[in-house]
Amino acid sequence: MGDFRELSGVGETYWAINREERQYAAILYHLLLNGDNLPRFLELIDCPYKVDETWSAYVEYAYLRDAWDKIGNDNDKKRKLISALLNTHDVSSLESASVQEWNEHFGVGTPVASTAHVQSPSRWSLAKFDANVADNDDFLATCQFKWAFNIKPDIVIHTDNDHAVVIEAKCTAGEGSYPSTTPEKDIFKRRGLPYVRQTDVQQYLFKEILGIEAVFRYVVKAGTASTPSYQTVLWKDAFAALEHTGAPTFLTAWLRKLVHD
DNA sequence: AAGTGGCTTCAGGTGTAGGT
DNA sequence: ACCTACACCTGAAGCCACTT
């Protein structure tokens, strides 16, 4: 039997010290689905959209990944889709390329460029298609397109089919930016391109790719500074605004602690 | 004090090869 | 036709040193 808890002197139940942002997001999501909590929350964050009966809500929202998977083996449809949404010079020059040439153009190497399947843009490699996309605007567009296939907002509420509220849950870390790795950052520096904020990619995903009008909110522990790209809400205010009658004992205690600490 | 960049670890997705 | 193991890549996040 392990005795970490005794040796460490950390005697609290886990919930009392938990600092996992996905756990916070899961609690928020759970509460949002109960009673009148959805309208309460939307009012708190100044949601400009009306909710109708088609509303739905998601955690770890990966719409493009799943829609891509749903297309199945239709390579032709996949290429037409990319050509329509990513309207760059190099993409239009790929019309007669083979499937493998198409994949190689975007630098897919996971583990190799497939000869059979048009691979997901989420697998494109920035460091490799750098060599194949000369124009800076095209390069940036290709990066954004790829990133849009990878981002997963923590919570998304579709207030109806064409409007959404996008929630990013944060415990300690701030807003991320792209590109993320050193070699990729070097490429951006060499090209003189600015880094792209996480919320910029989210806005691009919803507006330009999915055709969904959306607002964006960060839920954070402390600090209320909103930037032009998003507004922030405090966890304590979010939880204080939500009804939780009948919740399990630990959750009631946890919420009390979160609201009053 | 807050932000940035480099480094590390972890978890998960993807396609291939090789087995049954 | 399925399954499993495998290699490779990526993003998220934490930590630390450094800058502003």
Side-chain angles (χ1 to χ4, degrees):
Chain A
M1 284 286 281
D3 56 358
F4 182 94
R5 289 180 295 173
E6 193 179 329
L7 289 169
S8 66
V10 179
E12 291 98 329
T13 339
Y14 184 27
W15 63 258
I17 60 166
N18 187 292
R19 55 191 200 96
E20 171 59 47
E21 67 185 40
R22 287 190 179 96
Q23 175 79 16
Y24 282 55
I27 293 174
L28 177 59
Y29 180 77
H30 162 74
L31 293 174
L32 284 177
L33 301 187
N34 289 336
D36 293 330
N37 279 341
L38 183 72
R40 285 167 187 263
F41 180 74
L42 294 179
E43 187 184 345
L44 175 75
I45 64 161
D46 294 322
C47 171
Y49 313 131
K50 283 210 164 63
V51 179
D52 77 13
E53 70 285 354
T54 64
W55 79 271
S56 56
Y58 307 89
V59 291
E60 300 288 328
Y61 182 95
Y63 204 141
L64 289 185
R65 182 197 67 190
D66 298 336
W68 182 268
D69 188 64
K70 184 74 180 168
I71 294 171
N73 284 327
D74 194 337
N75 282 338
D76 201 42
K77 186 188 260 186
K78 287 175 173 173
R79 286 170 66 149
K80 280 186 179 144
L81 192 62
I82 292 170
S83 304
L85 292 169
L86 179 64
N87 196 17
T88 54
H89 297 93
D90 51 293
V91 168
S92 35
S93 75
L94 284 175
E95 258 177 54
S96 58
S98 69
V99 167
Q100 185 176 357
E101 286 166 345
W102 172 281
N103 289 326
E104 282 171 347
H105 177 82
F106 296 108
V108 182
T110 318
V112 292
S114 173
T115 56
H117 308 288
V118 170
Q119 286 159 296
S120 166
S122 70
R123 310 280 86 188
W124 293 358
S125 171
L126 199 159
K128 290 177 187 160
F129 68 67
D130 174 45
N132 301 330
V133 185
D135 183 81
N136 265 358
D137 290 340
D138 285 348
F139 181 77
L140 190 57
T142 311
C143 291
Q144 288 240 61
F145 192 76
K146 172 216 153 64
W147 293 329
F149 274 77
N150 281 320
I151 51 170
K152 280 196 293 183
D154 294 325
I155 297 177
V156 173
I157 303 161
H158 278 251
T159 55
D160 65 23
N161 285 323
D162 300 312
H163 299 84
V165 177
V166 182
I167 309 291
E168 200 61 35
K170 292 291 171 197
C171 277
T172 52
E175 183 186 10
S177 68
Y178 298 94
S180 51
T181 70
T182 307
E184 290 176 352
K185 285 176 178 172
D186 289 344
I187 292 168
F188 265 60
K189 284 176 192 159
R190 191 191 75 227
R191 286 179 177 259
L193 291 170
Y195 294 172
V196 181
R197 289 171 301 195
Q198 193 176 19
T199 30
D200 290 335
V201 180
Q202 290 182 350
Q203 290 184 18
Y204 168 80
L205 165 65
F206 279 88
K207 190 174 180 196
E208 309 296 333
I209 302 297
L210 293 173
I212 293 170
E213 201 180 313
V215 291
F216 302 84
R217 300 290 186 269
Y218 268 53
V219 192
V220 300
K221 242 181 185 150
T224 52
S226 296
T227 78
S229 62
Y230 63 86
Q231 295 173 29
T232 57
V233 184
L234 294 178
W235 281 111
K236 57 187 295 188
D237 293 335
F239 286 131
L242 302 176
E243 180 63 48
H244 57 272
T245 310
T249 308
F250 88 93
L251 185 52
T252 305
W254 191 351
L255 290 168
R256 189 182 304 127
K257 176 174 156 55
L258 291 172
V259 169
H260 295 295
D261 269 7

